Amino acid sequence: MEKINLSETLQKVREVNPLVHNITNVVVTNFTANGLLALGASPVMANAVEEAADMAQIASSLVLNIGTLNSQTVEAMILAGKAANWHDIPVIFDPVGAGATRYRTETAQKIMNELKVSVIRGNGAEIANVVGEDWEIKGVDAGDAKGNLLDLAITAAQKLNCVVVVTGKEDVVSDGEATYVVANGHSILTKVTGTGCLLTSVIGAFAGVEKDLLTASVAALAYYGIAAEQAAQKTAELGPGSFQIEFLNQLSLVSGEDVNLYASFKKMSGG
Ligand code: ATP
Ligand code: TZP
Ligand code: MG
Ligand code: MG
């Protein structure tokens, strides 16, 4: 990556209005579609085995999310993923709950083995379990395990041969050589379901317009975290319900200038 131009990358998303094909979970489907629309992307949810591959090949990116997986949606994910790979369309993967059950862990590993995934995004425990480390996880939430997220992102990127985004209080992005930490965000994000899932789809929108996946991921994380900071400020004293609505507003209001002004990220190593 030469130089990260955050505002240009955000602007490109809004100009191109990328079609983001999501095969995602039933909890977050509506929130994800609204968040992508607020950003300036074009969401489509299509999880039938009969059409998943056809939809994937006309999209700018494909987002796979195993939050409420079942055998049919997993089959659709593999079909869509293979079509996306064939057409050189980036595949972004959220291994929701990997480590919580054997089915989730094995399915996440199967997806990583059978598809060429461009970016994987999860909390620390999910990413650790995908690479065979046994970190504690509580359902779909990160749990109390406090491993080193920086080391995890780097080793996972090397093992999985893709860009890894590990989120938490601070987010780490690594391709195994270059590594960035992004500090934007707000703790109230953990009180609204689907904020991790929507983030994965937002990374999908950025990856749909920016081939450099480190740039796409860092820009998406900074933009998303800034929108959360602004929304939290505007809804201070209120609760997660008001925050959720204001967050959608801010996803459409945060400008390239805001991103240049408020982004908080640094390069840790390599590249
Ligand atoms: P979990 O279910 O464990 O919360 P997740 O898949 O929902 O995982 P998160 O790790 O919560 O994903 O990340 C979603 C967004 O919330 C990211 O932008 C991240 O930076 C932000 N975030 C999470 N925890 C905090 C925190 N304590 N302070 C600031 N931002 C946070
Ligand atoms: N259960 C299955 S998927 C899901 C829940 C609660 C949503 C998880 O969303 P996120 O973004 O990981 O918090
Ligand atoms: Mg969460
Ligand atoms: Mg999650």
Side-chain angles (χ1 to χ4, degrees), residues 4 27 60 78 96 109 116 123 149 160 171 187 200 246 260 270:
I4 300 190
V27 182
S60 297
I78 298 289
V96 183
Q109 290 170 349
K116 180 170 174 12
N123 63 43
L149 299 188
L160 299 171
D171 306 324
S187 58
T200 305
E246 188 54 34
N260 281 343

Side-chain angles (χ1 to χ4, degrees), residues 156-210:
Q158 288 165 351
K159 279 190 193 166
L160 299 171
N161 197 24
C162 69
V163 169
V164 173
V165 179
V166 184
T167 55
K169 189 172 186 310
E170 293 192 329
D171 306 324
V172 187
V173 183
S174 182
D175 65 0
E177 284 183 10
T179 303
Y180 289 80
V181 172
V182 183
N184 295 105
H186 194 281
S187 58
I188 198 167
L189 283 165
T190 63
K191 301 295 176 200
V192 175
T193 193
T195 53
C197 301
L198 171 57
L199 170 61
T200 305
S201 290
V202 165
I203 294 171
F206 279 68
V209 303
E210 170 55 62

Side-chain angles (χ1 to χ4, degrees), residues 23-271:
I23 302 182
T24 189
N25 69 73
V26 299
V27 182
V28 306
T29 301
N30 176 273
F31 182 56
T32 301
N34 277 322
L36 286 171
L37 284 171
L39 160 62
S42 181
V44 63
M45 278 57 184
N47 60 8
V49 168
E50 291 82 355
E51 68 166 354
D54 290 344
M55 190 63 81
Q57 60 185 274
I58 58 164
S60 297
S61 61
L62 172 69
V63 177
L64 305 177
N65 177 310
I66 61 166
T68 51
L69 77 179
N70 61 56
S71 52
Q72 288 227 317
T73 48
V74 172
E75 191 187 337
M77 286 183 202
I78 298 289
L79 290 169
K82 287 195 168 153
N85 285 167
W86 179 256
H87 291 272
D88 226 8
I89 291 158
V91 177
I92 322 303
F93 178 44
D94 190 329
V96 183
T101 65
R102 207 171 81 179
Y103 182 44
R104 280 172 194 265
T105 311
E106 288 179 357
T107 301
Q109 290 170 349
K110 174 184 157 86
I111 285 171
M112 293 308 296
N113 287 334
E114 292 190 19
L115 301 178
K116 180 170 174 12
V117 168
S118 297
V119 183
I120 183 171
R121 197 295 311 168
N123 63 43
E126 288 163 345
I127 299 297
N129 278 281
V130 172
V131 293
E133 287 182 32
D134 184 22
W135 287 25
E136 185 195 341
I137 184 161
K138 184 178 180 189
V140 298
D141 291 330
D144 294 329
K146 293 273 181 286
N148 184 318
L149 299 188
L150 194 72
D151 291 347
L152 172 66
I154 297 167
T155 49
Q158 288 165 351
K159 279 190 193 166
L160 299 171
N161 197 24
C162 69
V163 169
V164 173
V165 179
V166 184
T167 55
K169 189 172 186 310
E170 293 192 329
D171 306 324
V172 187
V173 183
S174 182
D175 65 0
E177 284 183 10
T179 303
Y180 289 80
V181 172
V182 183
N184 295 105
H186 194 281
S187 58
I188 198 167
L189 283 165
T190 63
K191 301 295 176 200
V192 175
T193 193
T195 53
C197 301
L198 171 57
L199 170 61
T200 305
S201 290
V202 165
I203 294 171
F206 279 68
V209 303
E210 170 55 62
K211 276 200 180 324
D212 184 317
L213 298 170
L214 282 175
T215 296
S217 301
V218 171
L221 287 165
Y223 152 78
Y224 195 83
I226 290 165
E229 288 164 9
Q230 305 278 4
Q233 201 179 355
K234 287 202 178 327
T235 57
E237 321 282 312
L238 300 169
S242 301
F243 169 80
Q244 184 183 18
I245 296 300
E246 188 54 34
F247 183 47
L248 288 175
N249 293 336
Q250 292 302 323
L251 286 171
S252 76
L253 292 173
V254 165
S255 65
E257 261 173 29
D258 293 330
V259 171
N260 281 343
L261 208 59
Y262 301 121
S264 170
F265 71 96
K266 65 177 176 220
K267 191 169 188 181
M268 306 306 287
S269 62

